[in-house]
Amino acid sequence: MLELKNLNYTIDNKKIVNDVSYSFEKGNIYIITGPNGGGKTSLGKLITGLYQTNGGSITYDGKDITKLSISDRAKMGISYAFQTPVYFKGLTVGNILSLSSKNNDLKTQYDLLANVGLCGRDYIDRDLDDRLSGGEIKRIELASVLAKPKTEIYIFDEPEAGIDLWSFKEIIRIFKQLRKQNKTIIIVSHQERILMLSDYILLVKDGKIAKEGPTSEILPTLIQPVKLKNCNGCIRKELI
């Protein structure tokens, strides 16, 4: 279990995360959603250790990890995938997979790439640079996260950003696969199809959890009908 207690994060006297408490159980997909600037990405980065809290605590399987670094948390099984993956000049796809886990050989790397819908022979020696599309780099980052053998908690920051439909379907499939493996999946997202995939939703607004609960209860409260102009009364649904 991952447990947040009265978590706070402040920048320039502004509370970005304000007294947040919540528990994440294994085998579930959790979505953190909410308006831009509401604190949802900061909350994910606090969990993974990219940001350090100004108050409160984080415990993982009963151990206080509040002051641990991102690398120490990664060793314990917490992995993070960025909204915009980082390009590494001079590194190949094979290099980044090797860095993610020193225990994988070429066959394992091929299998990791195949699992995210990429051909190992075509990609293993390609440079991680801007010649790769947004969908390609997202899938390679996902493969590097999956390469970490001890990961139990996966945190994804807007995995749908800038990717094609094929990549989106692959990511959805992998989320379902991780849930079957009894992993904890925490996703920061606005995307309705990803929200529908989840077990629980946390609506984060003004640094606080404004709503939380099972997806079947929370999602309908986040969707409102919008009347389209010049469309004879046509209605569509949008996330609040």
Side-chain angles (χ1 to χ4, degrees), residues 93 106 109-111 113-114 118-126:
V93 173
L106 186 61
Q109 292 177 10
Y110 276 22
D111 289 343
L113 291 171
L118 298 176
C119 175
R121 289 195 180 114
D122 292 341
Y123 282 89
I124 201 74
D125 293 320
R126 287 192 63 176

Side-chain angles (χ1 to χ4, degrees), residues 14-237:
K14 180 181 178 181
K15 287 236 174 165
I16 308 299
V17 174
N18 189 359
D19 201 35
V20 169
S21 297
Y22 194 78
S23 296
F24 299 90
E25 301 279 357
K26 290 183 178 181
N28 291 318
I29 296 178
Y30 298 87
I31 302 296
I32 302 175
T33 193
N36 291 332
K40 57 188 185 298
T41 292
S42 295
L43 185 57
K45 290 182 176 181
L46 285 170
I47 294 171
T48 199
L50 282 164
Y51 292 167
Q52 287 293 324
T53 179
N54 303 118
S57 65
I58 305 172
T59 58
Y60 175 43
D61 284 348
K63 181 177 180 179
D64 190 334
I65 64 170
T66 311
K67 301 300 182 182
L68 294 186
S69 67
I70 182 173
S71 57
D72 287 334
R73 296 186 202 194
K75 291 174 184 176
M76 293 182 68
I78 301 175
S79 293
Y80 184 86
F82 291 87
Q83 175 182 350
T84 304
V86 179
Y87 291 96
F88 295 93
K89 187 176 181 180
L91 289 182
T92 65
V93 173
N95 293 151
I96 201 68
L97 293 178
S98 295
L99 288 170
S100 298
S101 174
K102 295 180 180 179
N103 297 321
N104 62 58
D105 55 18
L106 186 61
K107 181 183 181 304
T108 302
Q109 292 177 10
Y110 276 22
D111 289 343
L112 286 164
L113 291 171
N115 195 32
V116 297
L118 298 176
C119 175
R121 289 195 180 114
D122 292 341
Y123 282 89
I124 201 74
D125 293 320
R126 287 192 63 176
D127 292 326
L128 284 167
D129 56 27
D130 57 9
R131 286 175 292 182
L132 293 166
S133 70
E136 288 172 324
I137 198 69
K138 277 277 191 180
R139 286 198 256 176
I140 291 164
E141 185 192 35
L142 185 53
S144 71
V145 170
L146 296 174
K148 300 172 184 177
K150 295 183 179 180
T151 299
E152 294 295 330
I153 298 175
Y154 293 88
I155 303 171
F156 299 93
D157 187 3
E158 300 200 23
E160 73 276 10
I163 64 169
D164 54 83
L165 182 59
W166 177 262
S167 298
F168 182 84
K169 289 180 178 179
E170 286 295 307
I171 288 172
I172 292 290
R173 179 185 62 79
I174 288 170
F175 290 158
K176 292 179 179 179
Q177 183 183 58
L178 292 174
R179 177 165 53 191
K180 288 181 180 178
Q181 295 171 4
N182 205 35
K183 307 296 185 180
T184 304
I185 306 105
I186 302 170
I187 307 170
V188 177
S189 181
H190 296 283
Q191 221 285 338
E192 187 176 348
R193 285 179 61 192
I194 293 181
L195 267 71
M196 292 173 66
L197 173 71
S198 67
D199 300 293
Y200 297 93
I201 293 176
L202 291 74
L203 173 65
V204 175
K205 185 177 180 181
D206 298 326
K208 297 182 178 182
I209 297 179
K211 295 180 182 180
E212 58 87 9
T215 298
S216 59
E217 295 178 10
I218 301 300
L219 185 57
T221 72
L222 303 182
I223 298 176
Q224 61 181 1
V226 177
K227 189 172 182 179
L228 303 181
K229 294 181 179 179
N230 303 319
C231 193
N232 296 323
C234 295
I235 298 293
R236 74 175 178 216
K237 292 183 178 180

